[in-house]
Amino acid sequence: MNASGDELAPEVRAIVDAARERPGGDTRVSVDARSFPDAVEQTVADGRIPVIAEVKPTSPTTEGVRDDDPVELAREMVTGGATALSVLTEPDHFGGTTDSLRRIRDAVDVPVLRKDFVVREEQLDTVESDLVLLIARFVDEDLSDLVEAARERGFQPLVEVHTRDELVAALAAGADIVGINNRDLGRLDVDLGTFEALAPEVPDDVLLVAESGVKTTDDVRRMREAGADALLVGTAIMDGDVRQNTHTLSTPT
Ligand SMILES: O=P(O)(O)OC[C@@H](O)[C@@H](O)c1c[nH]c2ccccc12
Protein backbone atom coordinates (compact mmCIF):
# COMPACT_ATOMS: atom_id res chain seq x y z
CA MET A 1 0.00 0.00 0.00
CA ASN A 2 2.01 2.96 -1.23
CA ALA A 3 1.45 6.59 -0.39
CA SER A 4 -0.52 8.07 -3.18
CA GLY A 5 0.46 11.34 -1.71
CA ASP A 6 -1.64 14.07 -3.21
CA GLU A 7 -4.28 14.03 -0.48
CA LEU A 8 -1.68 14.47 2.26
CA ALA A 9 -1.42 17.66 4.25
CA PRO A 10 1.74 19.53 3.09
CA GLU A 11 3.42 19.03 6.48
CA VAL A 12 2.87 15.30 6.24
CA ARG A 13 4.04 15.21 2.62
CA ALA A 14 7.30 16.84 3.75
CA ILE A 15 7.70 14.32 6.58
CA VAL A 16 7.22 11.35 4.27
CA ASP A 17 9.56 12.77 1.61
CA ALA A 18 12.24 13.30 4.25
CA ALA A 19 11.67 9.77 5.58
CA ARG A 20 12.31 8.28 2.14
CA GLU A 21 15.72 9.96 2.06
CA ARG A 22 16.80 8.79 5.47
CA PRO A 23 19.44 6.05 5.43
CA GLY A 24 19.10 2.72 7.20
CA GLY A 25 21.52 1.06 9.60
CA ASP A 26 24.63 -0.82 8.44
CA THR A 27 24.11 -3.92 10.48
CA ARG A 28 20.95 -5.81 11.13
CA VAL A 29 19.65 -5.37 14.68
CA SER A 30 18.54 -8.24 16.85
CA VAL A 31 16.19 -7.24 19.64
CA ASP A 32 15.36 -9.07 22.83
CA ALA A 33 11.94 -7.43 23.13
CA ARG A 34 9.94 -6.81 26.29
CA SER A 35 6.50 -8.29 25.63
CA PHE A 36 3.83 -5.68 25.00
CA PRO A 37 0.89 -8.14 25.25
CA ASP A 38 2.20 -9.28 28.66
CA ALA A 39 2.52 -5.68 29.84
CA VAL A 40 -1.06 -4.97 28.76
CA GLU A 41 -2.32 -8.06 30.52
CA GLN A 42 -0.48 -7.13 33.71
CA THR A 43 -1.95 -3.61 33.70
CA VAL A 44 -5.48 -4.96 33.30
CA ALA A 45 -4.85 -7.51 36.09
CA ASP A 46 -3.84 -4.55 38.29
CA GLY A 47 -7.20 -2.91 37.56
CA ARG A 48 -5.74 -0.12 35.46
CA ILE A 49 -6.08 1.03 31.85
CA PRO A 50 -3.17 0.32 29.51
CA VAL A 51 -1.69 3.62 28.34
CA ILE A 52 1.23 4.02 25.96
CA ALA A 53 2.60 7.42 26.91
CA GLU A 54 4.36 9.27 24.14
CA VAL A 55 7.55 11.29 24.52
CA LYS A 56 6.94 13.84 21.79
CA PRO A 57 9.06 17.00 22.15
CA THR A 58 7.04 18.74 19.42
CA SER A 59 4.91 17.97 16.34
CA PRO A 60 3.37 19.74 13.35
CA THR A 61 0.14 20.09 15.34
CA THR A 62 1.66 21.19 18.65
CA GLU A 63 2.67 24.68 19.64
CA GLY A 64 6.20 25.11 20.91
CA VAL A 65 8.81 22.58 21.94
CA ARG A 66 9.18 20.82 25.25
CA ASP A 67 12.88 20.64 25.94
CA ASP A 68 12.96 18.82 29.29
CA ASP A 69 15.25 15.80 29.44
CA PRO A 70 13.36 13.04 27.58
CA VAL A 71 14.71 10.41 29.98
CA GLU A 72 13.28 12.31 32.94
CA LEU A 73 9.90 12.65 31.18
CA ALA A 74 9.94 8.91 30.41
CA ARG A 75 10.67 8.01 34.04
CA GLU A 76 7.83 10.22 35.22
CA MET A 77 5.45 8.56 32.78
CA VAL A 78 6.39 5.13 34.09
CA THR A 79 5.96 6.31 37.68
CA GLY A 80 2.55 7.63 36.65
CA GLY A 81 1.58 4.14 35.51
CA ALA A 82 2.40 3.96 31.78
CA THR A 83 2.21 0.40 30.45
CA ALA A 84 4.59 1.23 27.63
CA LEU A 85 6.27 4.29 26.15
CA SER A 86 6.26 5.65 22.64
CA VAL A 87 9.34 7.62 21.64
CA LEU A 88 9.48 9.75 18.54
CA THR A 89 12.75 9.25 16.65
CA GLU A 90 11.78 11.43 13.66
CA PRO A 91 14.31 14.30 13.82
CA ASP A 92 13.01 17.00 11.49
CA HIS A 93 9.39 17.53 12.51
CA PHE A 94 8.96 15.90 15.93
CA GLY A 95 12.24 16.75 17.66
CA GLY A 96 13.07 13.07 18.12
CA THR A 97 16.43 11.26 18.14
CA THR A 98 17.47 7.61 18.13
CA ASP A 99 19.79 8.51 20.97
CA SER A 100 16.94 9.53 23.28
CA LEU A 101 15.16 6.27 22.46
CA ARG A 102 18.28 4.32 23.44
CA ARG A 103 18.70 6.25 26.67
CA ILE A 104 15.03 5.94 27.57
CA ARG A 105 14.98 2.20 26.89
CA ASP A 106 18.02 1.80 29.17
CA ALA A 107 16.37 3.82 31.91
CA VAL A 108 12.97 2.10 32.11
CA ASP A 109 11.76 -1.49 32.15
CA VAL A 110 8.50 -1.14 30.20
CA PRO A 111 8.24 -1.89 26.45
CA VAL A 112 9.24 1.02 24.22
CA LEU A 113 7.71 1.79 20.83
CA ARG A 114 9.82 3.46 18.17
CA LYS A 115 7.63 6.10 16.58
CA ASP A 116 8.94 7.06 13.19
CA PHE A 117 8.17 6.90 9.51
CA VAL A 118 9.89 3.64 8.61
CA VAL A 119 9.32 3.02 4.92
CA ARG A 120 12.05 0.45 4.08
CA GLU A 121 13.55 -2.60 5.72
CA GLU A 122 17.06 -1.15 6.38
CA GLN A 123 15.49 1.68 8.36
CA LEU A 124 14.55 -0.91 10.97
CA ASP A 125 18.26 -1.22 11.70
CA THR A 126 18.89 2.29 13.01
CA VAL A 127 17.96 1.58 16.63
CA GLU A 128 16.62 -1.18 18.87
CA SER A 129 13.16 -0.97 20.45
CA ASP A 130 10.53 -3.41 21.69
CA LEU A 131 7.80 -2.29 19.32
CA VAL A 132 8.18 -0.55 16.01
CA LEU A 133 5.53 1.53 14.27
CA LEU A 134 4.73 0.68 10.65
CA ILE A 135 2.25 3.08 9.05
CA ALA A 136 0.26 1.10 6.48
CA ARG A 137 -0.29 4.12 4.27
CA PHE A 138 3.38 5.02 3.95
CA VAL A 139 5.48 1.89 3.64
CA ASP A 140 7.32 1.67 0.34
CA GLU A 141 7.66 -2.08 0.45
CA ASP A 142 4.98 -4.67 0.65
CA LEU A 143 3.46 -4.38 4.13
CA SER A 144 3.67 -8.14 4.79
CA ASP A 145 7.38 -8.11 3.93
CA LEU A 146 8.04 -5.25 6.32
CA VAL A 147 6.02 -6.87 9.11
CA GLU A 148 8.02 -10.05 8.56
CA ALA A 149 11.33 -8.16 8.43
CA ALA A 150 10.48 -6.46 11.75
CA ARG A 151 9.62 -9.78 13.41
CA GLU A 152 12.80 -11.44 12.11
CA ARG A 153 14.74 -8.79 14.02
CA GLY A 154 12.76 -9.42 17.20
CA PHE A 155 10.54 -6.31 17.05
CA GLN A 156 6.81 -6.42 17.79
CA PRO A 157 5.34 -4.47 14.86
CA LEU A 158 2.47 -2.11 15.60
CA VAL A 159 0.72 -1.48 12.29
CA GLU A 160 -1.07 1.86 12.10
CA VAL A 161 -4.20 2.31 9.99
CA HIS A 162 -6.71 5.07 9.45
CA THR A 163 -9.12 3.61 6.87
CA ARG A 164 -10.96 0.36 6.28
CA ASP A 165 -8.71 -0.50 3.30
CA GLU A 166 -5.60 -0.01 5.40
CA LEU A 167 -7.08 -2.15 8.15
CA VAL A 168 -7.81 -4.95 5.68
CA ALA A 169 -4.22 -4.68 4.40
CA ALA A 170 -2.81 -4.75 7.95
CA LEU A 171 -4.76 -7.88 8.87
CA ALA A 172 -3.82 -9.55 5.57
CA ALA A 173 -0.18 -8.77 6.39
CA GLY A 174 -0.56 -10.73 9.63
CA ALA A 175 -0.47 -7.76 12.02
CA ASP A 176 -1.39 -8.83 15.56
CA ILE A 177 -0.98 -5.39 17.13
CA VAL A 178 -2.97 -2.76 15.25
CA GLY A 179 -3.25 0.96 15.97
CA ILE A 180 -6.19 2.92 14.63
CA ASN A 181 -5.09 6.52 14.24
CA ASN A 182 -7.91 8.97 14.88
CA ARG A 183 -5.90 11.66 13.15
CA ASP A 184 -6.45 12.03 9.43
CA LEU A 185 -3.00 12.57 7.97
CA GLY A 186 -4.57 14.21 4.95
CA ARG A 187 -6.12 17.06 6.87
CA LEU A 188 -4.49 16.60 10.28
CA ASP A 189 -7.80 16.78 12.11
CA VAL A 190 -8.84 14.31 14.78
CA ASP A 191 -12.10 12.39 15.08
CA LEU A 192 -12.52 9.71 17.75
CA GLY A 193 -15.33 8.34 15.58
CA THR A 194 -12.63 6.83 13.33
CA PHE A 195 -11.74 4.30 16.02
CA GLU A 196 -15.39 3.59 16.76
CA ALA A 197 -16.12 2.94 13.08
CA LEU A 198 -13.21 0.57 12.43
CA ALA A 199 -12.79 -1.26 15.76
CA PRO A 200 -15.71 -3.67 15.19
CA GLU A 201 -13.93 -5.01 12.12
CA VAL A 202 -10.88 -6.10 14.10
CA PRO A 203 -10.76 -9.73 15.25
CA ASP A 204 -10.60 -10.31 19.02
CA ASP A 205 -7.17 -11.89 18.98
CA VAL A 206 -5.62 -8.69 17.65
CA LEU A 207 -4.34 -6.23 20.26
CA LEU A 208 -6.04 -2.98 19.40
CA VAL A 209 -4.62 0.44 20.19
CA ALA A 210 -6.55 3.72 19.92
CA GLU A 211 -4.15 6.42 18.74
CA SER A 212 -4.37 10.22 18.85
CA GLY A 213 -6.85 12.73 20.16
CA VAL A 214 -7.43 11.14 23.56
CA LYS A 215 -7.47 14.05 26.01
CA THR A 216 -9.82 13.32 28.89
CA THR A 217 -10.97 10.40 31.03
CA ASP A 218 -14.23 10.58 29.05
CA ASP A 219 -12.26 10.01 25.85
CA VAL A 220 -10.51 7.07 27.53
CA ARG A 221 -13.84 5.55 28.50
CA ARG A 222 -15.20 6.11 25.02
CA MET A 223 -12.27 4.34 23.35
CA ARG A 224 -12.37 1.47 25.87
CA GLU A 225 -16.09 0.99 25.25
CA ALA A 226 -15.39 0.89 21.52
CA GLY A 227 -12.90 -1.94 22.06
CA ALA A 228 -9.48 -0.38 22.67
CA ASP A 229 -7.08 -2.71 24.52
CA ALA A 230 -4.68 0.20 24.97
CA LEU A 231 -4.49 3.93 24.30
CA LEU A 232 -1.64 5.86 22.77
CA VAL A 233 -1.54 9.37 24.20
CA GLY A 234 0.93 12.12 23.33
CA THR A 235 -0.19 15.72 23.59
CA ALA A 236 -2.52 15.35 26.58
CA ILE A 237 0.29 13.75 28.58
CA MET A 238 3.10 16.05 27.39
CA ASP A 239 1.07 19.14 28.31
CA GLY A 240 1.82 19.80 31.98
CA ASP A 241 2.74 17.27 34.66
CA VAL A 242 3.42 14.08 32.71
CA ARG A 243 3.31 11.85 35.77
CA GLN A 244 -0.05 13.18 36.93
CA ASN A 245 -1.48 13.16 33.42
CA THR A 246 -0.47 9.54 32.88
CA HIS A 247 -1.91 8.58 36.24
CA THR A 248 -5.23 10.30 35.56
CA LEU A 249 -5.72 8.72 32.15
CA SER A 250 -4.74 5.19 33.28
CA THR A 251 -6.98 5.17 36.37
CA PRO A 252 -10.56 4.03 35.74
CA THR A 253 -13.26 6.45 36.85
O1 LIG B 1 -0.73 13.71 20.59
P1 LIG B 1 -1.87 12.76 20.44
O2 LIG B 1 -3.06 13.35 19.74
O3 LIG B 1 -2.24 12.11 21.75
O4 LIG B 1 -1.37 11.58 19.46
C1 LIG B 1 -0.37 10.66 19.83
C2 LIG B 1 0.02 9.78 18.64
O5 LIG B 1 -1.09 9.00 18.29
C3 LIG B 1 0.48 10.63 17.45
O6 LIG B 1 1.63 11.31 17.86
C4 LIG B 1 0.78 9.80 16.21
C5 LIG B 1 0.00 8.80 15.72
N1 LIG B 1 0.58 8.27 14.62
C6 LIG B 1 1.72 8.89 14.37
C7 LIG B 1 2.67 8.68 13.38
C8 LIG B 1 3.80 9.44 13.42
C9 LIG B 1 3.98 10.44 14.35
C10 LIG B 1 3.05 10.68 15.35
C11 LIG B 1 1.91 9.90 15.36
Side-chain angles (χ1 to χ4, degrees):
M1 174 148 316
N2 290 324
S4 44
D6 347 346
E7 336 81 55
L8 290 177
E11 302 90 318
V12 180
R13 179 79 269 154
I15 293 168
V16 177
D17 288 346
R20 292 230 163 84
E21 300 302 316
R22 219 162 280 134
D26 308 329
T27 45
R28 195 180 162 109
V29 298
S30 171
V31 189
D32 182 14
R34 304 167 189 165
S35 167
F36 178 62
D38 287 357
V40 167
E41 202 182 313
Q42 186 59 54
T43 303
V44 173
D46 293 346
R48 291 180 304 112
I49 296 166
V51 169
I52 307 172
E54 183 159 280
V55 181
K56 179 161 68 169
T58 186
S59 86
T61 55
T62 318
E63 274 172 37
V65 178
R66 180 140 189 180
D67 53 15
D68 319 35
D69 177 13
V71 176
E72 206 34 55
L73 291 171
R75 284 206 179 97
E76 290 285 299
M77 289 167 172
V78 173
T79 309
T83 295
L85 298 177
S86 167
V87 180
L88 261 300
T89 56
E90 203 281 345
D92 302 329
H93 303 82
F94 293 87
T97 66
T98 48
D99 186 53
S100 41
L101 170 54
R102 251 179 236 111
R103 288 168 44 229
I104 287 171
R105 190 161 179 258
D106 282 346
V108 300
D109 55 9
V110 301
V112 180
L113 166 71
R114 176 182 172 203
K115 201 68 171 324
D116 206 329
F117 295 78
V118 170
V119 297
R120 286 192 313 280
E121 176 167 356
E122 315 82 77
Q123 294 173 333
L124 293 167
D125 293 322
T126 43
V127 64
E128 291 184 18
S129 58
D130 304 287
L131 298 135
V132 66
L133 184 78
L134 300 177
I135 305 176
R137 180 169 182 163
F138 296 142
V139 303
D140 280 347
E141 296 174 7
D142 182 69
L143 184 57
S144 318
D145 290 349
L146 208 52
V147 165
E148 173 77 22
R151 288 202 180 117
E152 280 168 7
R153 289 164 170 78
F155 293 107
Q156 301 162 95
L158 189 171
V159 180
E160 176 176 306
V161 304
H162 178 70
T163 65
R164 184 162 280 111
D165 285 352
E166 289 168 10
L167 174 59
V168 169
L171 297 174
D176 54 5
I177 308 173
V178 169
I180 297 177
N181 193 359
N182 287 312
R183 188 180 302 279
D184 177 352
L185 295 169
R187 295 175 309 180
L188 286 181
D189 54 357
V190 169
D191 177 3
L192 297 185
T194 305
F195 185 89
E196 291 172 322
L198 295 183
E201 323 245 334
V202 179
D204 281 348
D205 57 353
V206 168
L207 244 166
L208 189 55
V209 181
E211 300 183 4
S212 305
V214 173
K215 295 196 170 355
T216 63
T217 51
D218 277 351
D219 296 340
V220 170
R221 206 175 308 120
R222 189 172 157 191
M223 294 293 95
R224 292 284 284 168
E225 277 166 11
D229 294 304
L231 308 155
L232 173 51
V233 185
T235 314
I237 287 180
M238 287 298 284
D239 185 9
D241 180 338
V242 301
R243 182 207 294 209
Q244 184 57 50
N245 293 340
T246 308
H247 178 77
T248 304
L249 294 175
S250 60
T251 307
T253 46

